[in-house]
Amino acid sequence: MLSMEVAESEIPDFTDPFHWCRYFPPRAKFDLMNLGVAVDWRRSFVTTEINPYYDSFVRWQFNTLKEANKVYFGKRHTIYSAVDGQPCADHDRQTGEGVAP
């Protein structure tokens, strides 16, 4: 946190998960605007109780997809790094990129 220039006195506030949602979006917006990214900033897309309208839309969307059997919980194949002892993304591998699990 200190490396991101968060004041040391403010670090304990991050034990509240909603503090993260209040703290970082304005800073991310500032950085993206400085990069010249073209974004419609009229809406917020935080999917928590902080933004109940968007959150209810996302919940409705996932529930609709789940009812249509398009979203489900289960196992899936993944690339595993024997060197690191954990799953990894395809582009994280030195060799074998593009080879399916």
Side-chain angles (χ1 to χ4, degrees):
M1 297 297 231
L2 295 173
S3 67
M4 293 186 292
E5 299 179 3
V6 175
E8 192 166 353
S9 61
E10 193 168 5
I11 292 175
D13 295 338
F14 286 94
T15 58
D16 172 14
F18 292 111
H19 184 68
W20 291 77
C21 296
R22 290 186 298 270
Y23 185 87
F24 285 107
R27 285 155 182 81
K29 179 180 176 181
F30 177 80
D31 290 342
L32 291 169
M33 290 175 78
N34 283 338
L35 288 170
V37 175
V39 174
D40 179 358
W41 296 109
R42 293 176 292 179
R43 297 178 199 89
S44 169
F45 297 104
V46 176
T47 55
T48 66
E49 295 101 29
I50 289 175
N51 187 347
Y53 299 107
Y54 187 64
D55 186 58
S56 67
F57 165 71
V58 171
R59 289 176 185 271
W60 168 83
Q61 192 173 39
F62 270 99
N63 288 333
T64 301
L65 291 169
K66 187 174 181 184
E67 288 169 9
N69 293 320
K70 302 291 183 183
V71 175
Y72 54 91
F73 181 80
K75 296 180 180 180
R76 66 179 181 95
H77 297 288
T78 189
I79 306 297
Y80 182 81
S81 169
V83 173
D84 296 326
Q86 63 183 12
C88 64
D90 188 48
H91 64 274
D92 291 330
R93 298 186 287 172
Q94 263 188 323
T95 60
E97 189 171 345
V99 177

XYZ file of all heavy atoms in Angstrom:
834
model
N 0.814 -1.174 0.000
C 0.000 0.000 0.000
C 0.874 1.261 0.000
O 0.524 2.219 -0.666
C -0.922 0.018 1.219
C -1.913 -1.120 1.251
S -3.005 -1.021 -0.136
C -4.546 -1.129 0.592
N 1.952 1.195 0.763
C 2.828 2.360 0.810
C 3.436 2.650 -0.554
O 3.617 3.811 -0.924
C 3.932 2.156 1.859
C 3.454 2.062 3.310
C 4.614 1.695 4.226
C 2.808 3.366 3.747
N 3.721 1.608 -1.326
C 4.308 1.817 -2.654
C 3.300 2.470 -3.611
O 3.688 3.029 -4.627
C 4.811 0.498 -3.241
O 3.730 -0.367 -3.521
N 2.005 2.399 -3.269
C 0.967 3.052 -4.082
C 0.615 4.419 -3.514
O -0.392 5.015 -3.873
C -0.287 2.177 -4.155
C -0.064 0.899 -4.913
S -1.576 -0.044 -5.150
C -1.937 -0.546 -3.480
N 1.460 4.886 -2.590
C 1.314 6.195 -1.970
C 0.047 6.341 -1.146
O -0.534 7.420 -1.037
C 1.415 7.311 -3.031
C 2.751 7.305 -3.743
C 2.875 8.379 -4.814
O 1.948 9.181 -4.979
O 3.914 8.397 -5.476
N -0.383 5.226 -0.544
C -1.483 5.277 0.413
C -0.876 5.720 1.734
O 0.128 5.166 2.180
C -2.155 3.896 0.567
C -3.216 3.924 1.665
C -2.750 3.452 -0.749
N -1.495 6.716 2.356
C -0.975 7.210 3.629
C -1.007 6.094 4.667
O -1.971 5.331 4.746
C -1.816 8.388 4.110
N 0.061 5.986 5.429
C 0.155 4.923 6.426
C -1.017 4.966 7.404
O -1.527 3.936 7.828
C 1.481 5.025 7.187
C 1.782 3.812 8.014
C 3.231 3.769 8.499
O 4.031 4.610 8.091
O 3.522 2.859 9.292
N -1.475 6.162 7.717
C -2.605 6.297 8.645
C -3.908 5.772 8.042
O -4.850 5.450 8.765
C -2.784 7.760 9.045
O -3.058 8.550 7.885
N -3.977 5.682 6.711
C -5.200 5.221 6.048
C -5.218 3.707 5.811
O -6.270 3.133 5.546
C -5.366 5.955 4.706
C -6.735 5.777 4.116
C -7.006 6.714 2.962
O -6.104 7.458 2.547
O -8.147 6.675 2.474
N -4.093 3.049 5.915
C -4.008 1.609 5.638
C -4.976 0.786 6.488
O -5.640 -0.103 5.958
C -2.551 1.114 5.750
C -1.733 1.711 4.597
C -2.477 -0.407 5.748
C -0.248 1.417 4.648
N -5.141 1.050 7.786
C -6.113 0.261 8.562
C -7.544 0.342 8.025
O -8.332 -0.573 8.216
C -6.015 0.850 9.970
C -4.653 1.447 10.037
C -4.376 1.950 8.643
N -7.885 1.426 7.322
C -9.232 1.565 6.756
C -9.536 0.487 5.722
O -10.701 0.210 5.433
C -9.410 2.942 6.110
C -9.331 4.067 7.124
O -9.553 3.801 8.335
O -9.046 5.208 6.720
N -8.503 -0.127 5.162
C -8.700 -1.136 4.119
C -9.175 -2.479 4.678
O -9.425 -3.405 3.914
C -7.432 -1.310 3.279
C -7.212 -0.153 2.343
C -6.413 0.915 2.712
C -7.827 -0.126 1.103
C -6.232 1.986 1.861
C -7.651 0.941 0.240
C -6.854 2.005 0.622
N -9.349 -2.584 5.989
C -9.993 -3.773 6.539
C -11.490 -3.779 6.212
O -12.131 -4.815 6.272
C -9.798 -3.864 8.072
O -10.336 -2.695 8.674
C -8.327 -4.024 8.413
N -12.027 -2.603 5.852
C -13.421 -2.490 5.403
C -13.441 -2.683 3.891
O -12.878 -1.879 3.151
C -13.973 -1.113 5.762
C -15.341 -0.835 5.172
O -16.007 -1.779 4.695
O -15.744 0.345 5.182
N -14.075 -3.751 3.386
C -14.049 -4.001 1.936
C -14.664 -2.868 1.119
O -14.264 -2.630 -0.010
C -14.850 -5.293 1.769
C -15.473 -5.587 3.070
C -14.805 -4.769 4.116
N -15.616 -2.134 1.699
C -16.217 -1.026 0.957
C -15.255 0.148 0.810
O -15.399 0.961 -0.095
C -17.523 -0.583 1.614
C -18.600 -1.613 1.492
C -19.051 -2.300 2.595
C -19.152 -1.913 0.249
C -20.037 -3.260 2.472
C -20.131 -2.874 0.117
C -20.578 -3.549 1.233
N -14.277 0.223 1.709
C -13.277 1.294 1.580
C -12.494 1.130 0.275
O -12.174 2.116 -0.386
C -12.333 1.300 2.786
C -11.352 2.430 2.750
N -11.733 3.740 2.905
C -10.016 2.451 2.540
C -10.669 4.524 2.790
N -9.609 3.758 2.575
N -12.207 -0.122 -0.093
C -11.518 -0.376 -1.361
C -12.330 0.191 -2.516
O -11.787 0.795 -3.441
C -11.326 -1.877 -1.573
C -10.354 -2.519 -0.649
C -10.568 -2.861 0.658
C -9.011 -2.889 -0.948
N -9.447 -3.436 1.178
C -8.477 -3.467 0.218
C -8.222 -2.803 -2.083
C -7.179 -3.944 0.276
C -6.923 -3.293 -2.032
C -6.424 -3.842 -0.857
N -13.650 -0.019 -2.472
C -14.539 0.430 -3.554
C -14.662 1.944 -3.603
O -14.959 2.508 -4.657
C -15.922 -0.186 -3.385
S -15.936 -1.973 -3.519
N -14.474 2.595 -2.473
C -14.527 4.064 -2.459
C -13.170 4.674 -2.804
O -13.085 5.743 -3.395
C -14.966 4.552 -1.081
C -16.411 4.276 -0.747
C -16.824 4.922 0.574
N -16.071 4.396 1.709
C -16.437 3.348 2.443
N -17.552 2.708 2.163
N -15.696 2.945 3.460
N -12.088 3.981 -2.432
C -10.746 4.544 -2.562
C -10.192 4.450 -3.984
O -9.700 5.441 -4.530
C -9.792 3.834 -1.590
C -8.409 4.431 -1.565
C -8.114 5.487 -0.720
C -7.393 3.954 -2.394
C -6.848 6.054 -0.691
C -6.127 4.511 -2.374
C -5.863 5.554 -1.524
O -4.615 6.120 -1.505
N -10.258 3.273 -4.587
C -9.547 3.055 -5.841
C -10.246 3.550 -7.115
O -9.558 4.011 -8.024
C -9.146 1.589 -5.981
C -7.977 1.230 -5.104
C -8.151 0.455 -3.974
C -6.710 1.701 -5.392
C -7.077 0.148 -3.155
C -5.623 1.397 -4.584
C -5.813 0.617 -3.460
N -11.564 3.459 -7.254
C -12.163 3.917 -8.513
C -11.827 5.350 -8.916
O -11.473 5.588 -10.072
C -13.668 3.705 -8.290
C -13.718 2.537 -7.372
C -12.553 2.748 -6.428
N -11.867 6.340 -8.004
C -11.492 7.695 -8.440
C -10.032 7.795 -8.898
O -9.714 8.519 -9.844
C -11.727 8.565 -7.208
C -12.560 7.767 -6.286
C -12.335 6.327 -6.621
N -9.173 7.048 -8.249
C -7.754 7.070 -8.637
C -7.539 6.382 -9.982
O -6.758 6.835 -10.809
C -6.910 6.434 -7.543
C -6.767 7.367 -6.342
C -6.493 6.639 -5.051
N -6.420 7.560 -3.936
C -7.478 8.065 -3.296
N -8.689 7.732 -3.667
N -7.335 8.892 -2.283
N -8.256 5.283 -10.193
C -8.159 4.590 -11.483
C -8.693 5.489 -12.593
O -8.092 5.582 -13.666
C -8.933 3.285 -11.438
N -9.804 6.171 -12.324
C -10.373 7.087 -13.317
C -9.380 8.205 -13.653
O -9.173 8.530 -14.821
C -11.678 7.674 -12.791
C -12.331 8.644 -13.738
C -13.624 9.184 -13.155
C -14.232 10.230 -14.061
N -15.480 10.781 -13.491
N -8.754 8.750 -12.631
C -7.763 9.811 -12.834
C -6.621 9.324 -13.722
O -6.227 9.991 -14.681
C -7.228 10.282 -11.473
C -6.156 11.325 -11.563
C -6.482 12.652 -11.784
C -4.821 10.967 -11.437
C -5.485 13.620 -11.871
C -3.822 11.925 -11.524
C -4.152 13.258 -11.746
N -6.093 8.142 -13.417
C -4.992 7.586 -14.206
C -5.415 7.313 -15.645
O -4.681 7.615 -16.587
C -4.463 6.301 -13.570
C -3.720 6.559 -12.265
O -3.307 7.710 -12.019
O -3.561 5.595 -11.485
N -6.604 6.727 -15.828
C -7.085 6.426 -17.177
C -7.321 7.697 -17.982
O -7.025 7.748 -19.179
C -8.353 5.584 -17.109
C -8.150 4.155 -16.600
C -9.491 3.496 -16.309
C -7.347 3.336 -17.592
N -7.840 8.734 -17.327
C -8.039 10.005 -18.035
C -6.697 10.597 -18.463
O -6.575 11.134 -19.564
C -8.815 10.980 -17.153
C -10.267 10.570 -16.974
S -11.176 11.617 -15.840
C -11.475 13.033 -16.893
N -5.682 10.474 -17.588
C -4.351 10.978 -17.939
C -3.717 10.198 -19.081
O -2.887 10.732 -19.812
C -3.431 10.956 -16.717
C -3.722 12.095 -15.777
O -4.291 13.114 -16.158
N -3.355 11.932 -14.525
N -4.116 8.931 -19.230
C -3.635 8.125 -20.349
C -4.384 8.444 -21.642
O -4.002 7.979 -22.710
C -3.775 6.633 -20.028
C -2.798 6.080 -19.003
C -3.202 4.664 -18.606
C -1.374 6.086 -19.548
N -5.471 9.198 -21.521
C -6.243 9.556 -22.705
C -7.222 8.484 -23.154
O -7.650 8.468 -24.306
N -7.598 7.576 -22.240
C -8.527 6.511 -22.576
C -9.918 7.110 -22.795
O -10.367 7.948 -22.011
C -8.557 5.452 -21.449
C -9.609 4.400 -21.707
C -7.195 4.820 -21.292
N -10.576 6.695 -23.866
C -11.921 7.188 -24.162
C -12.936 6.320 -23.435
O -13.159 5.160 -23.798
C -12.167 7.159 -25.663
N -13.520 6.858 -22.380
C -14.472 6.120 -21.552
C -15.685 7.005 -21.287
O -15.550 8.200 -21.075
C -13.825 5.708 -20.203
C -14.833 5.083 -19.268
C -12.655 4.777 -20.430
N -16.870 6.411 -21.290
C -18.084 7.110 -20.897
C -18.153 7.050 -19.376
O -18.502 6.030 -18.798
C -19.301 6.426 -21.537
C -20.600 7.090 -21.157
O -20.579 8.055 -20.362
O -21.645 6.652 -21.654
N -17.817 8.150 -18.717
C -17.725 8.178 -17.263
C -19.062 8.498 -16.597
O -19.115 8.705 -15.391
C -16.687 9.210 -16.815
C -15.307 8.885 -17.264
C -14.591 9.540 -18.216
C -14.457 7.827 -16.804
N -13.357 8.960 -18.375
C -13.248 7.902 -17.511
C -14.607 6.819 -15.852
C -12.197 7.021 -17.312
C -13.565 5.935 -15.648
C -12.377 6.051 -16.367
N -20.165 8.528 -17.353
C -21.453 8.894 -16.764
C -22.013 7.828 -15.841
O -22.908 8.091 -15.066
C -22.471 9.188 -17.866
C -22.100 10.452 -18.667
C -23.063 10.645 -19.795
N -22.864 9.565 -20.773
C -23.574 9.432 -21.872
N -24.552 10.276 -22.148
N -23.331 8.451 -22.727
N -21.496 6.617 -15.911
C -22.017 5.524 -15.093
C -20.895 4.876 -14.284
O -19.747 4.908 -14.674
C -22.653 4.458 -15.981
C -23.838 4.953 -16.739
C -24.359 3.821 -17.629
N -25.199 4.326 -18.679
C -24.775 4.725 -19.866
N -23.496 4.688 -20.160
N -25.610 5.172 -20.768
N -21.293 4.253 -13.179
C -20.352 3.492 -12.362
C -20.665 2.016 -12.538
O -21.834 1.633 -12.613
C -20.504 3.877 -10.895
O -19.795 2.981 -10.085
N -19.661 1.186 -12.601
C -19.860 -0.244 -12.788
C -19.292 -1.048 -11.631
O -18.680 -2.078 -11.812
C -19.279 -0.693 -14.132
C -19.979 -0.050 -15.282
C -19.388 0.982 -15.983
C -21.248 -0.460 -15.644
C -20.052 1.578 -17.040
C -21.919 0.131 -16.694
C -21.324 1.153 -17.394
N -19.488 -0.566 -10.420
C -19.079 -1.280 -9.221
C -20.201 -2.248 -8.876
O -21.342 -1.841 -8.699
C -18.816 -0.306 -8.050
C -18.492 -1.066 -6.781
C -17.694 0.658 -8.403
N -19.896 -3.538 -8.799
C -20.931 -4.541 -8.568
C -20.955 -4.979 -7.110
O -20.588 -6.091 -6.766
C -20.730 -5.768 -9.477
O -19.413 -6.254 -9.273
C -20.935 -5.436 -10.918
N -21.371 -4.068 -6.250
C -21.596 -4.368 -4.834
C -22.816 -3.565 -4.405
O -23.432 -2.877 -5.213
C -20.397 -3.935 -3.962
O -20.302 -2.513 -3.996
C -19.106 -4.555 -4.409
N -23.148 -3.645 -3.120
C -24.272 -2.857 -2.611
C -24.028 -1.356 -2.749
O -24.953 -0.564 -2.605
C -24.537 -3.184 -1.138
C -25.004 -4.596 -0.891
C -23.885 -5.485 -0.388
O -22.963 -4.994 0.275
O -23.940 -6.692 -0.671
N -22.793 -0.962 -3.044
C -22.502 0.463 -3.237
C -23.264 0.997 -4.449
O -23.669 2.138 -4.477
C -20.977 0.683 -3.408
C -20.287 0.441 -2.077
C -20.674 2.075 -3.921
C -18.787 0.513 -2.148
N -23.460 0.156 -5.457
C -24.187 0.537 -6.666
C -25.319 -0.476 -6.873
O -25.211 -1.380 -7.688
C -23.232 0.555 -7.856
C -23.881 1.101 -9.105
O -25.088 1.257 -9.187
N -23.064 1.393 -10.099
N -26.430 -0.329 -6.130
C -27.474 -1.362 -6.155
C -28.113 -1.564 -7.521
O -28.521 -2.683 -7.845
C -28.494 -0.870 -5.127
C -28.217 0.569 -4.923
C -26.762 0.773 -5.239
N -28.191 -0.535 -8.350
C -28.837 -0.687 -9.653
C -28.009 -1.578 -10.576
O -28.526 -2.510 -11.188
C -29.086 0.682 -10.299
C -29.998 1.540 -9.465
C -29.509 2.625 -8.751
C -31.352 1.239 -9.351
C -30.344 3.399 -7.962
C -32.197 2.004 -8.567
C -31.679 3.088 -7.881
O -32.508 3.836 -7.102
N -26.720 -1.304 -10.682
C -25.869 -2.121 -11.539
C -25.699 -3.514 -10.945
O -25.708 -4.510 -11.662
C -24.512 -1.451 -11.758
C -23.658 -2.163 -12.773
C -24.056 -2.245 -14.098
C -22.477 -2.782 -12.398
C -23.287 -2.914 -15.034
C -21.696 -3.447 -13.331
C -22.111 -3.504 -14.641
O -21.346 -4.170 -15.553
N -25.576 -3.586 -9.624
C -25.434 -4.879 -8.968
C -26.660 -5.756 -9.239
O -26.518 -6.933 -9.544
C -25.247 -4.683 -7.461
C -24.958 -5.977 -6.734
O -23.958 -6.638 -7.079
O -25.730 -6.337 -5.831
N -27.861 -5.183 -9.177
C -29.071 -5.979 -9.432
C -29.121 -6.435 -10.882
O -29.583 -7.542 -11.179
C -30.328 -5.203 -9.062
O -30.510 -4.098 -9.906
N -28.632 -5.596 -11.812
C -28.584 -5.999 -13.226
C -27.649 -7.188 -13.420
O -27.996 -8.162 -14.085
C -28.137 -4.834 -14.106
C -27.735 -5.267 -15.488
C -28.684 -5.698 -16.400
C -26.399 -5.277 -15.858
C -28.322 -6.118 -17.671
C -26.026 -5.690 -17.121
C -26.988 -6.114 -18.033
N -26.458 -7.127 -12.824
C -25.483 -8.218 -12.967
C -26.033 -9.491 -12.341
O -25.920 -10.577 -12.914
C -24.120 -7.825 -12.360
C -23.182 -9.017 -12.306
C -23.495 -6.688 -13.163
N -26.678 -9.372 -11.170
C -27.283 -10.549 -10.538
C -28.370 -11.143 -11.424
O -28.454 -12.360 -11.592
C -27.846 -10.191 -9.165
C -26.775 -9.927 -8.139
C -27.400 -9.472 -6.808
N -26.377 -9.105 -5.878
C -25.796 -9.956 -5.048
N -26.136 -11.223 -5.061
N -24.870 -9.539 -4.215
N -29.226 -10.285 -11.979
C -30.280 -10.761 -12.874
C -29.675 -11.481 -14.074
O -30.128 -12.552 -14.473
C -31.139 -9.591 -13.365
C -32.046 -9.984 -14.484
C -33.265 -10.589 -14.388
C -31.772 -9.845 -15.885
N -33.776 -10.827 -15.643
C -32.881 -10.382 -16.581
C -30.707 -9.317 -16.614
C -32.942 -10.407 -17.968
C -30.778 -9.350 -17.987
C -31.878 -9.887 -18.648
N -28.614 -10.890 -14.646
C -27.972 -11.476 -15.827
C -27.410 -12.865 -15.509
O -27.633 -13.817 -16.264
C -26.867 -10.536 -16.311
C -26.322 -10.873 -17.653
C -25.362 -9.802 -18.132
O -24.588 -9.274 -17.362
N -25.413 -9.490 -19.409
N -26.701 -12.992 -14.392
C -26.136 -14.295 -14.039
C -27.223 -15.307 -13.713
O -27.127 -16.475 -14.092
C -25.148 -14.170 -12.873
C -23.751 -13.910 -13.345
C -23.241 -12.629 -13.347
C -22.949 -14.943 -13.786
C -21.949 -12.386 -13.789
C -21.655 -14.713 -14.240
C -21.167 -13.426 -14.236
N -28.269 -14.883 -12.997
C -29.362 -15.809 -12.686
C -30.063 -16.283 -13.957
O -30.407 -17.459 -14.086
C -30.365 -15.158 -11.738
C -29.812 -15.021 -10.339
O -28.956 -15.792 -9.916
N -30.296 -14.037 -9.615
N -30.262 -15.376 -14.913
C -30.880 -15.742 -16.189
C -30.007 -16.744 -16.941
O -30.506 -17.745 -17.466
C -31.120 -14.484 -17.053
O -31.966 -13.594 -16.323
C -31.756 -14.834 -18.375
N -28.710 -16.488 -16.981
C -27.793 -17.409 -17.653
C -27.724 -18.753 -16.937
O -27.670 -19.804 -17.576
C -26.395 -16.789 -17.751
C -26.270 -15.606 -18.705
C -24.927 -14.911 -18.518
C -26.450 -16.046 -20.142
N -27.780 -18.727 -15.609
C -27.738 -19.983 -14.850
C -28.997 -20.804 -15.108
O -28.932 -22.025 -15.281
C -27.585 -19.696 -13.361
C -27.378 -20.947 -12.541
C -27.098 -20.623 -11.100
C -26.882 -21.910 -10.323
N -26.695 -21.658 -8.916
N -30.152 -20.155 -15.147
C -31.404 -20.862 -15.428
C -31.392 -21.483 -16.824
O -32.026 -22.511 -17.061
C -32.590 -19.911 -15.283
C -32.887 -19.536 -13.848
C -33.883 -18.406 -13.725
O -34.486 -18.016 -14.745
O -34.053 -17.912 -12.597
N -30.661 -20.865 -17.746
C -30.546 -21.394 -19.108
C -29.401 -22.404 -19.233
O -29.034 -22.789 -20.340
C -30.354 -20.245 -20.094
N -28.833 -22.812 -18.092
C -27.707 -23.755 -18.064
C -26.492 -23.268 -18.842
O -25.766 -24.050 -19.439
C -28.135 -25.148 -18.548
C -29.100 -25.797 -17.588
O -28.942 -25.691 -16.381
N -30.107 -26.444 -18.126
N -26.278 -21.962 -18.829
C -25.102 -21.379 -19.488
C -23.993 -21.079 -18.482
O -22.853 -20.869 -18.853
C -25.476 -20.076 -20.212
C -26.544 -20.233 -21.251
C -26.035 -21.015 -22.424
C -27.100 -21.109 -23.504
N -26.670 -21.913 -24.621
N -24.340 -21.039 -17.198
C -23.373 -20.786 -16.137
C -23.573 -21.877 -15.098
O -24.693 -22.154 -14.679
C -23.625 -19.414 -15.474
C -22.692 -19.207 -14.291
C -23.462 -18.293 -16.477
N -22.488 -22.509 -14.702
C -22.592 -23.548 -13.695
C -21.272 -23.674 -12.961
O -20.236 -23.214 -13.430
C -22.995 -24.886 -14.317
C -22.100 -25.314 -15.457
C -20.975 -26.095 -15.235
C -22.364 -24.913 -16.763
C -20.145 -26.464 -16.268
C -21.535 -25.281 -17.804
C -20.435 -26.063 -17.553
O -19.611 -26.423 -18.580
N -21.344 -24.286 -11.806
C -20.156 -24.504 -10.997
C -19.642 -25.911 -11.270
O -20.418 -26.851 -11.365
C -20.480 -24.356 -9.508
C -19.288 -24.550 -8.626
C -18.375 -23.534 -8.435
C -19.060 -25.763 -8.005
C -17.266 -23.715 -7.635
C -17.953 -25.957 -7.194
C -17.060 -24.927 -7.008
N -18.350 -26.028 -11.414
C -17.795 -27.353 -11.633
C -16.307 -27.296 -11.878
O -15.675 -26.261 -11.735
N -15.765 -28.414 -12.256
C -14.342 -28.499 -12.541
C -14.082 -28.105 -13.989
O -14.943 -28.256 -14.849
C -13.847 -29.923 -12.303
C -13.962 -30.351 -10.857
C -13.462 -31.754 -10.662
C -13.590 -32.145 -9.192
N -13.109 -33.490 -8.950
N -12.891 -27.586 -14.216
C -12.487 -27.281 -15.587
C -11.003 -27.581 -15.733
O -10.255 -27.566 -14.760
C -12.767 -25.830 -15.952
C -11.947 -24.828 -15.173
C -12.283 -23.412 -15.616
N -11.500 -22.454 -14.900
C -10.355 -21.934 -15.323
N -9.853 -22.312 -16.482
N -9.700 -21.058 -14.619
N -10.606 -27.833 -16.940
C -9.203 -28.113 -17.217
C -8.409 -26.811 -17.133
O -8.898 -25.752 -17.488
C -9.046 -28.718 -18.605
C -9.741 -30.031 -18.755
N -9.281 -31.184 -18.155
C -10.871 -30.375 -19.414
C -10.086 -32.177 -18.448
N -11.063 -31.719 -19.214
N -7.190 -26.920 -16.662
C -6.337 -25.741 -16.595
C -4.884 -26.154 -16.793
O -4.516 -27.318 -16.635
C -6.507 -25.005 -15.250
O -5.828 -23.754 -15.311
C -5.958 -25.816 -14.093
N -4.077 -25.197 -17.146
C -2.640 -25.417 -17.302
C -2.015 -25.384 -15.908
O -2.323 -24.504 -15.111
C -2.003 -24.312 -18.180
C -2.732 -24.178 -19.522
C -0.519 -24.555 -18.358
C -2.666 -25.398 -20.396
N -1.142 -26.339 -15.609
C -0.513 -26.432 -14.297
C 0.999 -26.353 -14.452
O 1.582 -27.028 -15.294
C -0.901 -27.750 -13.622
C -0.337 -27.912 -12.237
C -0.951 -27.311 -11.153
C 0.821 -28.653 -12.030
C -0.432 -27.455 -9.878
C 1.346 -28.801 -10.755
C 0.717 -28.203 -9.686
O 1.239 -28.335 -8.425
N 1.625 -25.516 -13.638
C 3.076 -25.386 -13.663
C 3.686 -26.282 -12.600
O 3.511 -26.039 -11.399
C 3.490 -23.935 -13.403
O 4.884 -23.868 -13.183
N 4.404 -27.305 -13.042
C 5.093 -28.191 -12.101
C 6.221 -27.452 -11.396
O 6.551 -27.744 -10.240
C 5.622 -29.412 -12.836
N 6.792 -26.462 -12.062
C 7.891 -25.678 -11.479
C 7.372 -24.822 -10.326
O 7.956 -24.783 -9.243
C 8.555 -24.791 -12.550
C 9.582 -23.862 -11.924
C 9.207 -25.653 -13.617
N 6.247 -24.117 -10.563
C 5.694 -23.224 -9.545
C 4.736 -23.931 -8.591
O 4.385 -23.391 -7.537
C 4.964 -22.060 -10.198
C 5.905 -21.185 -11.012
O 7.076 -21.044 -10.604
O 5.465 -20.642 -12.041
N 4.260 -25.124 -8.992
C 3.338 -25.857 -8.146
C 1.956 -25.239 -8.068
O 1.286 -25.335 -7.037
N 1.527 -24.585 -9.150
C 0.211 -23.952 -9.154
C -0.287 -23.775 -10.587
O 0.498 -23.853 -11.529
C 0.275 -22.593 -8.466
C 1.171 -21.593 -9.176
C 1.264 -20.283 -8.417
O 0.846 -20.180 -7.281
N 1.823 -19.275 -9.047
N -1.594 -23.531 -10.739
C -2.109 -23.260 -12.085
C -1.483 -21.997 -12.650
O -1.060 -21.108 -11.904
C -3.608 -23.058 -11.860
C -3.900 -23.683 -10.552
C -2.650 -23.556 -9.742
N -1.415 -21.918 -13.972
C -0.859 -20.722 -14.603
C -1.596 -20.453 -15.911
O -2.268 -21.321 -16.448
C 0.640 -20.876 -14.859
S 1.057 -22.174 -16.034
N -1.470 -19.251 -16.400
C -2.073 -18.895 -17.672
C -1.204 -19.392 -18.822
O -0.005 -19.629 -18.650
C -2.249 -17.376 -17.764
N -1.804 -19.538 -19.974
C -1.085 -20.052 -21.140
C 0.148 -19.204 -21.445
O 1.212 -19.719 -21.737
C -2.028 -20.081 -22.351
C -1.399 -20.793 -23.537
O -0.865 -21.905 -23.340
O -1.449 -20.238 -24.639
N 0.015 -17.885 -21.354
C 1.136 -17.009 -21.703
C 2.224 -16.972 -20.628
O 3.277 -16.383 -20.830
C 0.625 -15.586 -21.978
C 0.022 -14.948 -20.779
N -1.304 -15.138 -20.438
C 0.549 -14.141 -19.838
C -1.563 -14.454 -19.345
N -0.460 -13.853 -18.950
N 1.983 -17.600 -19.466
C 2.999 -17.648 -18.412
C 4.058 -18.711 -18.657
O 5.098 -18.710 -18.017
C 2.353 -17.942 -17.049
C 1.514 -16.791 -16.537
O 1.833 -15.645 -16.869
O 0.555 -17.059 -15.797
N 3.790 -19.626 -19.586
C 4.713 -20.737 -19.817
C 5.844 -20.335 -20.753
O 5.635 -19.594 -21.708
C 3.966 -21.925 -20.420
C 2.901 -22.458 -19.484
C 2.278 -23.696 -20.015
N 1.397 -23.384 -21.138
C 0.829 -24.298 -21.916
N 1.056 -25.574 -21.713
N 0.031 -23.939 -22.883
N 7.030 -20.836 -20.471
C 8.163 -20.588 -21.363
C 8.046 -21.397 -22.620
O 8.405 -20.950 -23.707
C 9.479 -20.947 -20.657
C 10.169 -19.768 -20.037
C 11.539 -20.167 -19.531
O 11.763 -21.259 -19.017
N 12.466 -19.255 -19.649
N 7.579 -22.636 -22.501
C 7.422 -23.518 -23.670
C 6.027 -24.127 -23.639
O 5.406 -24.217 -22.586
C 8.467 -24.654 -23.682
O 8.307 -25.431 -22.492
C 9.884 -24.107 -23.750
N 5.551 -24.530 -24.802
C 4.259 -25.187 -24.890
C 3.081 -24.249 -24.964
O 1.945 -24.656 -24.805
N 3.326 -22.954 -25.201
C 2.218 -22.000 -25.304
C 1.296 -22.414 -26.449
O 1.731 -22.795 -27.512
C 2.758 -20.594 -25.528
C 1.688 -19.532 -25.433
C 2.262 -18.124 -25.436
O 3.479 -17.951 -25.238
O 1.478 -17.214 -25.632
N 0.011 -22.360 -26.197
C -0.968 -22.728 -27.213
C -1.367 -24.195 -27.172
O -2.249 -24.624 -27.900
N -0.718 -24.978 -26.308
C -1.056 -26.388 -26.172
C -2.181 -26.502 -25.151
O -2.079 -25.964 -24.047
C 0.171 -27.212 -25.717
C -0.205 -28.659 -25.496
C 1.298 -27.083 -26.728
N -3.254 -27.152 -25.507
C -4.408 -27.286 -24.614
C -4.092 -28.238 -23.468
O -3.253 -29.122 -23.611
C -5.612 -27.770 -25.395
N -4.794 -28.068 -22.332
C -4.568 -28.974 -21.193
C -5.046 -30.385 -21.510
O -5.875 -30.604 -22.315
C -5.375 -28.376 -20.060
C -6.237 -27.329 -20.639
C -5.752 -27.034 -22.020
